[in-house]
Amino acid sequence: MNGNNTATCFLYGTSVGRTLLKLILKTHLDRLAARFLRSSWSRPLIGRYVRRHDIHLEENELQTFGSFRDFFARSREPVSFDPLPHHLISPCDGWLSVYPIAADSSFAIKGSRYRLCDFLQDEELAASYQGGDCLIFRLCASDYHHYCYIDNGYQGGNHYIPGVLHSVQPIACETYPVYTLNRRCWTLMATEHFGPVVQTEIGALVVGGIFNEREHARFVKGMEKGHFELAGSTIVLLFQQGRIDLQPWVQEARKDEEEVRVSQGMWIGNRKLH
């Protein structure tokens, strides 16, 4: 399981850190940090970041980025994905955890219980996911922050919910109900093989941007849906009851309440046969 970094442990695990965090969020110092990371002054950070996270980039490629933001939001060659229609794929690189959605349309993470009506701010939609599955993909700072569609289908509008920008590291989730506090954007997707799926992108500390490329449009499996900027983030997928069967190794992690490493396009489950 991927742990917390030192800065996050300080901000969320100590009384001094939590006081400093409140000051950062109250005074919007995170916005100043984001502005700096979008400027050319941030270019010297790129080389250090690449070395720290063991990211493989050629030296001449590093010189093409005008800012840290340009580097972080970089794209890559098209990713291969499991093409079988009834196979569920991961929308991104990251750490996957799975939680059951209870009969009251809530799910529990690290001691915090989340009601879907608070998460989505739509009670009728939340009620339709009672007894279903909640898949949470936590992207790390070293991951590519682009994400794709998990199936063919049609998507509705992008629903942006303003909020603060807490970290999404495990220690932060133990301290605050971050998934109902953080800035997020959800989309209802009518998929061909998994029924109505809600995908929600959640911003994290210093992440000011959630960029989805389309709305009210058809999509195909593996097509890029959008990307994040600047730091680690989270994607949440909601499935209705009886729609998916997860791979055995994912089921095992679910039973132990552990995270498992996944990559974009990886086969993680199947359409459930009735």
Side-chain angles (χ1 to χ4, degrees):
M1 177 175 171
N2 194 33
N4 306 285
N5 61 41
T6 303
T8 304
C9 288
F10 169 70
L11 287 173
Y12 289 89
T14 68
S15 58
V16 174
R18 287 190 290 271
T19 300
L20 178 59
L21 178 64
K22 289 179 182 178
L23 178 64
I24 291 171
L25 296 176
K26 184 176 181 179
T27 59
H28 302 299
L29 290 177
D30 55 325
R31 295 182 185 177
L32 292 177
R35 187 177 301 175
F36 167 73
L37 292 172
R38 289 187 177 96
S39 75
S40 60
W41 293 95
S42 64
R43 288 188 65 195
L45 298 178
I46 300 173
R48 279 176 263 171
Y49 191 93
V50 166
R51 291 189 293 273
R52 177 181 178 185
H53 295 286
D54 194 27
I55 297 171
H56 301 289
L57 287 176
E58 298 295 332
E59 186 63 32
N60 61 341
E61 189 176 359
L62 288 177
Q63 304 306 315
T64 65
F65 301 116
S67 67
F68 183 85
R69 179 268 169 202
D70 292 343
F71 153 73
F72 191 84
R74 70 196 182 280
S75 59
R76 59 177 166 183
E77 295 298 318
V79 177
S80 61
F81 59 91
D82 189 298
L84 293 183
H86 61 282
H87 283 183
L88 174 65
I89 63 171
S90 171
C92 60
D93 299 338
W95 290 86
L96 168 62
S97 52
V98 182
Y99 302 92
I101 301 173
D104 62 354
S105 300
S106 70
F107 57 95
I109 304 175
K110 302 293 184 181
S112 294
R113 181 160 288 278
Y114 294 91
R115 298 192 309 160
L116 286 186
C117 59
D118 296 330
F119 180 61
L120 301 174
Q121 296 187 1
D122 186 317
E123 291 195 15
E124 183 177 352
L125 180 63
S128 68
Y129 287 86
Q130 292 178 0
D133 297 284
C134 173
L135 276 59
I136 298 180
F137 301 83
R138 182 171 61 85
L139 289 74
C140 297
S142 57
D143 290 325
Y144 279 97
H145 276 60
H146 294 249
Y147 42 90
C148 70
Y149 291 101
I150 60 169
D151 194 11
N152 300 336
Y154 181 88
Q155 74 167 80
N158 297 317
H159 301 265
Y160 284 93
I161 299 175
V164 295
L165 293 172
H166 280 291
S167 170
V168 292
Q169 295 285 337
I171 192 171
C173 295
E174 294 169 7
T175 309
Y176 297 103
V178 298
Y179 297 120
T180 52
L181 292 176
N182 280 28
R183 183 179 306 164
R184 54 201 183 276
C185 176
W186 65 263
T187 307
L188 178 60
M189 304 185 298
T191 69
E192 288 185 7
H193 300 94
F194 309 106
V197 177
V198 174
Q199 177 164 322
T200 305
E201 296 86 29
I202 304 174
L205 197 63
V206 189
V207 181
I210 300 171
F211 294 93
N212 286 313
E213 297 188 1
R214 59 189 62 82
E215 59 183 339
H216 302 293
R218 295 204 62 82
F219 56 81
V220 297
K221 185 176 184 178
M223 176 190 294
E224 181 162 313
K225 184 177 186 295
H227 70 276
F228 294 103
E229 294 191 318
L230 297 178
S233 310
T234 297
I235 290 174
V236 176
L237 293 178
L238 303 177
F239 295 89
Q240 292 182 336
Q241 185 174 14
R243 294 288 187 173
I244 59 171
D245 274 325
L246 296 169
Q247 288 274 61
W249 53 274
V250 180
Q251 291 278 20
E252 190 67 26
R254 173 180 185 165
K255 183 177 66 177
D256 297 333
E257 296 188 357
E258 292 286 339
E259 294 180 307
V260 290
R261 184 68 185 172
V262 296
S263 58
Q264 188 179 92
M266 178 185 288
W267 175 27
I268 60 172
N270 303 288
R271 177 184 61 192
K272 192 164 190 175
L273 300 176
H274 298 283

